[in-house]
Amino acid sequence: MLGLLRRDLRLALRRKAEWMGAVFFFVLVAALFPLAIGPEPATLRLIGPGVLWVAALLASMLSLGRLFDADHQDGSLEQLALSVAPLPWLVSAKLLAHWLISGLPLVLLSPLLGLQFGLGSEALGMLALTLLIGTPVLSLLGAIGAALTLGVRGGGVLQSLLLLPLYVPVLVFGTGAVDAQMRGLGAEAHVSILLALLLASAALSPWACAAALRLALE
Amino acid sequence: MASWVLTAMDLACQKAQRTLFEGVSFSVPAGSWLHIEGGNGCGKTSLLRILCGLSPAARGQVLWPSSSPSSSSSQTSLSRPDRSVLHYIGHALGLKPDLTACENLCADAQVSGLALGREQAVQALAAQGLQSRAHLPVRVLSQGQRQGVALARLRTSPARLWVLDEPLVGLDTQATATARALLQSHVDAGGAVVMTSHHDVGLQGPGARLHLGREVGRA
């Protein structure tokens, strides 16, 4: 399992353009909004958390297409399915690698991008925290979509249609937490629900992915 | 030597409502080989994938060599086989184009829970005549050289049963001879080889040929 994590991270380092694309997308979308909306501080503060969350969500979907695709193409997936280690464990390792290279950079960049929207330090901290909990959920849920649409022609569109409804709760509670924090209402409830979503998806997603991958291999 | 047997019982395969083959039964004991022959599209690859547990059979069962030494009373089992008992090389070789040949071998061994040092990996590649290619990314290798890297992986695998789809395709004369010697020594050492090939592989020792085709498969 560690071996697969190392392999995927090494592969990502050899192919920087692939994952950098999603990170650049996140930065660009977040940077374009203030330019388009105009310099009204109150408006920017209002839309900031939502814009950053939607940008992170779309960036995460952008990077999902490659998650199992390359392994499927070159036959590595067959070897993984035959591996001594259980497939759900291997999927978990792949997902961890995927989050480290495409989710974590978004979390780290979010406070910097939040500054453009005039968010206060508390809101910035809460934004980073919700993304830290939320982006793994996006990866975990997204992987199910990626596995289900593996090898399907035009799978990208289907994947978006499958995933967006599943992403809605993450988005609602992620932005809700930052909003509550900014209004001084306390964000514990929102964060707890995000954590619950993370635990539930971490417990279920690898098994669902493994089952979908076995079907894709048949 | 273990006395396990790979057994296929009355296998049938359907693709898109068309029966590719049915009533295929055979057994491959340790120390023997099975060469599956047949024209294009007659289901050779499908049969191999059924044998590996990657695809389900429309009908019939496959008994694989058992992976757990504890269940020595029954030498075969119905559970899904894994890489400790079975090594599969399909059309897609399972090599990562961006990793070097050597890294591919090491990463692959790690994924299946084996420890494989760089020296061992280079040795296995050298035995395939690929020493000078060991540190090149697989994406710059020729098709035959990639096949060679995939075959080098057999040298580092603990699996006693090899299931190979066209293992000699793309190999030059010398590499073909090396590959034949590799397969022969595996069979001689008590392993087993199940393969498809359009070439005459010329393996010695106990073995069988299975011809998949309408007239035979429908029998």
Side-chain angles (χ1 to χ4, degrees), chain A residues 113-124:
Chain A
L113 294 171
L115 282 177
Q116 295 184 99
F117 294 88
L119 298 182
S121 60
E122 279 201 344
L124 288 177

Side-chain angles (χ1 to χ4, degrees), chain A residues 3-4 6-7 10-11 14-15 70-71 73-76 78-85 90 214 217-218, chain B residues 49 52 54-56 80-84 86 88 92-99 103 107 110-112 153:
Chain A
L4 185 60
R6 265 211 298 267
R7 189 203 76 172
R10 181 179 287 169
L11 279 171
R14 300 266 159 96
R15 291 225 156 185
D71 281 344
Q73 299 273 331
D74 64 25
S76 307
E78 289 171 348
Q79 300 299 333
L80 292 184
L82 289 171
S83 170
V84 181
L90 297 174
R214 289 216 188 269
L217 281 176
E218 274 178 13
Chain B
R49 294 177 62 87
C52 295
L54 286 169
S55 307
R80 202 193 294 280
D82 64 42
R83 296 259 303 260
S84 61
L86 176 148
Y88 170 67
L93 299 171
L95 302 171
K96 285 282 158 199
D98 292 313
L99 297 181
E103 284 169 341
Q110 275 176 348
V111 167
S112 53
R153 224 160 45 185

Side-chain angles (χ1 to χ4, degrees), chain B residues 126-175:
Chain B
Q128 273 324 111
L130 291 167
Q131 187 152 33
S132 59
R133 303 286 186 276
H135 299 289
L136 290 178
V138 164
R139 98 183 99 80
V140 306
L141 299 186
S142 74
Q143 187 57 39
Q145 287 168 335
R146 288 178 201 193
Q147 191 79 34
V149 176
L151 289 172
R153 224 160 45 185
L154 290 172
R155 297 181 185 271
T156 63
S157 163
R160 307 280 305 285
L161 171 63
W162 294 354
V163 178
L164 313 173
D165 202 349
E166 298 287 345
L168 303 183
V169 77
L171 297 180
D172 62 25
T173 322
Q174 194 179 354

